[in-house]
Amino acid sequence: MFVVSFYFFNLQIYYSVIDLSFLPLRIKNALDRTDTDILSELRFRTGYPIFGLYGGKKNYLSESGVTLNRENAIVCSQETVLETVENVTEKSLYAFNDKLKQGFITSKNGVRIGVAGDCVFDNGKIVTIKKISSLNIRIPHEIKNCSSKIFNKLFLKETFNTLIVSPPAKGKTTILKDLARKFNEYTDYAVLIIDERGEFGQISGENIDLIRFSDKNYALNYAIRSMSPHIVITDELQTQDDWKSAEQASAGGIKIIASCHGKDAEDLRKKEYFKKDIFERYVFLDAEKPAGTIREISDKDFVSL
């Protein structure tokens, strides 16, 4: 029998920025003059000013920090892009190719970097991306207790298959990380994290097992047999295989906590692979407010709780 300790958590939020040491020195120096607690994204496009989402709004990056003045912005060079990629991959891009051909690479500390360039195909299948010209650097923050409302409402007395829904860059993964920490600290449940993109690298604990860089289908099939989890936490459900894997795990008695892109219940219903009967609870994040802000928690029929 597994015991859940009943705690109501302090809702104070703390920010901490993950390691960005892979960035070129000029960019790091500019960020040193910036309040990076509210910087969530950096955009590098060769030949154009570098800008980011700063407090949810577009701001340019200058030598003296963020600015609204485009004329003062640092212009991204091809060397800036290449140096960033070389630093992240430790000059071994080939070792990252499986992720690169999916459109991103991930730093060893869990920073996901979207990549654009020339796609190379062989027999109709993409084999790599060359001549990289653009980077989208997603800057994760640990926001402690950002999942308190969800945990207190949904997981104190029992657990529910739960889907966290929001547009991109609105805090889905941040909330999943915080939920993993809470389950580890306040319950005895065995928690399995399927970290397909390498974004949960900082999360660990005596009750947590972590599978990185594996698709959900493979990870769930072998982990259910070998690790016997009670709860599985995984990132974005996107493909038919993702939804099928979640459905199979749920049918086997495992509780699934996952995320999905979407704006609201109507948007979710329109998704090709959406399966309504998998999830018992839905958490919708607010697209108009800072990342991690909860707009609504609803039951399996999308009735607000």
Side-chain angles (χ1 to χ4, degrees):
M1 180 177 180
F2 290 84
V3 178
V4 180
S5 300
F6 291 1
Y7 289 93
F8 284 84
F9 305 98
N10 185 338
L11 296 180
Q12 186 174 2
I13 293 176
Y14 303 88
Y15 292 86
S16 60
V17 177
I18 217 155
D19 183 12
L20 298 173
S21 59
F22 59 83
L23 291 172
L25 181 61
R26 185 184 186 191
I27 308 303
K28 286 190 291 186
N29 287 341
L31 290 177
D32 284 342
R33 302 176 177 90
T34 299
D35 180 6
T36 51
D37 280 352
I38 56 173
L39 181 66
S40 59
E41 185 176 281
L42 277 175
R43 292 275 188 170
F44 291 3
R45 293 185 174 115
T46 302
Y48 294 94
I50 293 173
F51 68 87
L53 289 180
Y54 191 75
K57 297 180 180 180
K58 181 177 179 178
N59 279 257
Y60 295 98
L61 187 66
S62 72
E63 302 286 0
S64 57
V66 295
T67 178
L68 293 174
N69 189 345
R70 188 177 187 276
E71 301 304 317
N72 293 337
I74 299 171
V75 175
C76 179
S77 65
Q78 183 64 28
E79 289 73 22
T80 298
V81 171
L82 293 178
E83 183 179 348
T84 302
V85 171
E86 285 185 352
N87 289 344
V88 171
T89 62
E90 297 179 348
K91 299 186 178 180
S92 181
L93 190 58
Y94 176 81
F96 285 72
N97 194 60
D98 282 347
K99 294 302 173 188
L100 179 64
K101 63 187 181 183
Q102 296 180 48
F104 68 92
I105 53 178
T106 307
S107 79
K108 62 183 179 181
N109 292 307
V111 179
R112 179 153 55 109
I113 302 165
V115 173
D118 294 354
C119 296
V120 180
F121 285 82
D122 183 26
N123 293 323
K125 294 183 178 181
I126 186 169
V127 293
T128 193
I129 297 178
K130 300 177 68 175
K131 297 181 181 178
I132 297 171
S133 57
S134 299
L135 302 176
N136 176 19
I137 302 169
R138 298 276 295 274
I139 301 175
H141 300 268
E142 290 188 18
I143 309 180
K144 295 181 180 178
N145 293 328
C146 64
S147 70
S148 293
K149 181 178 178 181
I150 301 169
F151 194 87
N152 291 338
K153 193 156 191 171
L154 301 184
F155 303 122
L156 281 180
K157 296 182 180 179
E158 55 184 315
T159 56
F160 296 94
N161 291 335
T162 301
L163 188 66
I164 298 170
V165 183
S166 84
K170 283 299 176 181
K172 295 185 297 296
T173 303
T174 301
I175 285 178
L176 290 176
K177 289 179 180 179
D178 198 58
L179 281 173
R181 281 191 288 260
K182 282 185 168 32
F183 279 116
N184 178 67
E185 186 172 358
Y186 298 107
T187 82
D188 288 327
Y189 293 129
V191 177
L192 172 68
I193 298 174
I194 299 177
D195 185 11
E196 194 167 354
R197 295 172 177 81
E199 296 179 284
F200 288 78
Q202 303 294 310
I203 306 301
S204 63
E206 65 177 271
N207 297 317
I208 292 175
D209 300 303
L210 180 67
I211 298 176
R212 302 182 74 198
F213 305 122
S214 167
D215 66 80
K216 297 173 183 65
N217 184 48
Y218 176 78
L220 276 170
N221 281 332
Y222 97 72
I224 288 172
R225 293 193 302 269
S226 60
M227 305 308 297
S228 301
H230 297 89
I231 295 170
V232 169
I233 293 177
T234 187
D235 52 8
E236 296 154 8
L237 301 182
Q238 294 180 317
T239 68
Q240 184 177 16
D241 284 344
D242 289 350
W243 285 92
K244 185 177 180 180
S245 297
E247 183 178 37
Q248 290 174 339
S250 175
I254 294 170
K255 294 300 182 181
I256 302 290
I257 303 174
S259 64
C260 180
H261 289 324
K263 295 181 295 184
D264 49 31
E266 182 180 356
D267 192 32
L268 195 58
R269 288 190 189 100
K270 293 177 182 177
K271 291 188 176 295
E272 182 180 0
Y273 305 122
F274 172 64
K275 293 179 180 289
K276 180 177 181 292
D277 295 334
I278 299 176
F279 293 99
E280 303 158 294
R281 297 291 185 267
Y282 296 90
V283 177
F284 295 97
L285 303 186
D286 197 320
E288 304 301 322
K289 294 184 179 179
T293 302
I294 297 165
R295 177 171 58 82
E296 181 184 19
I297 298 176
S298 68
D299 68 10
K300 62 184 178 63
D301 296 314
F302 300 112
V303 176
S304 293
L305 296 173

